[in-house]
Amino acid sequence: MADIPNLSDLRLFVDVVRQGNFVRTATELGMSPSYVSKRIGILEHDLGVRLLHRTSRRVSATAQGEKTYEWARGILDGVRQMQEALAEDTAEPQGRLRVSSSFRLGRNHVAPAISLLARRYPRLEVSLTVLDRPVDLLSEGLDLDIRIGEVPEPHLVAHRILQSHRILCAAPSYIAERGAPTQLAELAQHSCLVFRERDQPFGTWRLTGPKGLESVKVTGALSSNNNDIIRQWALDGHGIVRLAEWDCIKSLNDGELVHVLPAYRWPADIWAVTTGRLSQSAKVGVCVRFLREQLTSGPYALWPQGARPLL
């Protein structure tokens, strides 16, 4: 009869399958690849089955590995829920918490707020991943995604952090040189700074205005997958940009940017997205409530002190 597997090895195996690579898993967990490989070997010995196909570049689960992966996820989830149920009897949440967000929002607001969260709740182990692409919370093992815009996945639960909109802006120098568009269709004749957003098709801007929802195809000499770069190019006068109100309100107030086509906007609410209700996880509930507090009224609030939405 196979030996009872170590829970830590099961958790490590789940991480390896998600990453598809020993090196990436080891780097994320602060281990050596040889140690990860050794522990997986021990788990295979304990279970009496081969769990992974190994190549020089990646690993993938065998048929028995896939079955083990599903069982392991269920076992680890059950253990997590048991720990959280017991932790609810204490004043301090604890355990591992995996959070994701987009680059600019994550670095400038979520990360410093999590720094404060870690000081208040030192028994939490928080991992923050920033990336400008859609994430799958279930398959990527994430507890929480702080995102801008729509939440189309019906199986997820969205908790609004802040209400905001995307608007069109340009530097005064660009307006002086090219003029300001007066109709949405005129954007096709302007230089637009295009950012590959998580929830939008590349090069197509959707906006709501006097005629309701409209889409316009935009182009320009400059584009990037990094919002900081796009924003700086806009400040440098290279074209019209679509930014969230909270991200450009200070530049508008300071005169660095000008509001273009003010009758048009697009929802850009900030959401905390989870796989279940906050009551099901003490640590996730604490994190969401803390982030809502910090991003709306704390030192890293999305709205600068004294600023208000434009629309």
Side-chain angles (χ1 to χ4, degrees):
M1 181 177 178
D3 294 331
I4 296 175
N6 184 296
L7 278 178
S8 296
D9 290 343
L10 283 177
R11 186 176 291 110
L12 185 60
F13 170 68
V14 168
D15 287 337
V16 168
V17 173
R18 285 172 176 159
Q19 294 283 356
N21 186 284
F22 283 148
V23 175
R24 282 199 297 269
T25 303
T27 300
E28 180 179 313
L29 299 177
M31 303 173 177
S32 68
S34 60
Y35 179 79
V36 172
S37 179
K38 176 183 177 181
R39 294 311 310 179
I40 296 301
I42 291 172
L43 180 62
E44 289 179 319
H45 178 269
D46 289 343
L47 294 175
V49 297
R50 185 179 182 185
L51 299 173
L52 298 172
H53 296 297
R54 296 165 172 82
T55 68
S56 59
R57 293 193 174 185
R58 63 175 288 112
V59 296
S60 59
T62 63
Q64 289 175 310
E66 290 283 359
K67 188 179 296 185
T68 303
Y69 174 73
E70 293 303 324
W71 274 102
R73 285 180 57 187
I75 291 168
L76 294 171
D77 188 57
V79 171
R80 176 185 60 80
Q81 290 184 42
M82 177 189 69
Q83 292 173 325
E84 290 174 355
L86 295 173
E88 287 177 358
D89 295 332
T90 69
E92 186 177 1
Q94 59 183 303
R96 193 176 184 186
L97 186 66
R98 290 183 171 181
V99 183
S100 62
S101 188
S102 58
F103 281 118
R104 186 169 179 81
L105 176 62
R107 184 181 64 251
N108 294 346
H109 298 278
V110 177
I114 286 178
S115 177
L116 298 177
L117 175 74
R119 290 189 179 279
R120 182 174 296 185
Y121 303 107
R123 298 182 70 183
L124 280 177
E125 301 173 21
V126 186
S127 171
L128 174 63
T129 301
V130 292
L131 65 178
D132 278 318
R133 64 165 176 81
V135 296
D136 185 326
L137 273 73
L138 291 173
S139 65
E140 297 182 51
L142 296 166
D143 299 296
L144 177 64
D145 182 37
I146 308 300
R147 69 173 67 171
I148 306 170
E150 301 169 331
V151 184
E153 303 96 324
H155 62 284
L156 299 180
V157 182
H159 317 272
R160 183 185 277 114
I161 297 291
L162 181 85
Q163 188 170 24
S164 183
H165 295 88
R166 289 185 178 97
I167 60 174
L168 303 178
C169 306
S173 59
Y174 177 85
I175 299 299
E177 179 183 350
R178 297 285 300 272
T182 58
Q183 300 180 40
L184 194 63
E186 293 178 17
L187 288 177
Q189 281 73 56
H190 278 266
S191 176
C192 294
L193 300 168
V194 183
F195 166 58
R196 191 180 298 278
E197 299 176 82
R198 294 173 118 200
D199 62 339
Q200 298 293 308
F202 182 75
T204 299
W205 285 351
R206 292 188 293 170
L207 295 154
T208 300
K211 298 180 181 178
L213 174 62
E214 296 184 65
S215 296
V216 59
K217 188 71 176 176
V218 296
T219 59
L222 299 176
S223 64
S224 175
N225 68 337
N226 185 287
N227 208 22
D228 282 333
I229 294 172
I230 292 292
R231 190 176 184 280
Q232 186 57 53
W233 284 340
L235 293 170
D236 293 341
H238 287 290
I240 297 173
V241 66
R242 193 176 72 154
L243 295 172
E245 285 177 290
W246 56 265
D247 197 21
C248 63
I249 189 68
K250 186 177 185 302
S251 295
L252 290 169
N253 290 340
D254 293 345
E256 297 176 316
L257 293 174
V258 175
H259 195 178
V260 175
L261 293 171
Y264 290 89
R265 61 181 181 174
W266 183 251
D269 294 350
I270 308 297
W271 298 92
V273 183
T274 62
T275 57
R277 299 191 179 279
L278 299 185
S279 60
Q280 295 176 324
S281 173
K283 63 184 179 183
V284 174
V286 163
C287 185
V288 170
R289 287 187 288 271
F290 188 87
L291 288 176
R292 181 183 288 124
E293 172 189 327
Q294 294 299 317
L295 298 183
T296 55
S297 60
Y300 303 104
L302 290 156
W303 289 112
Q305 187 173 8
R308 292 292 181 270
L310 297 171
L311 299 167

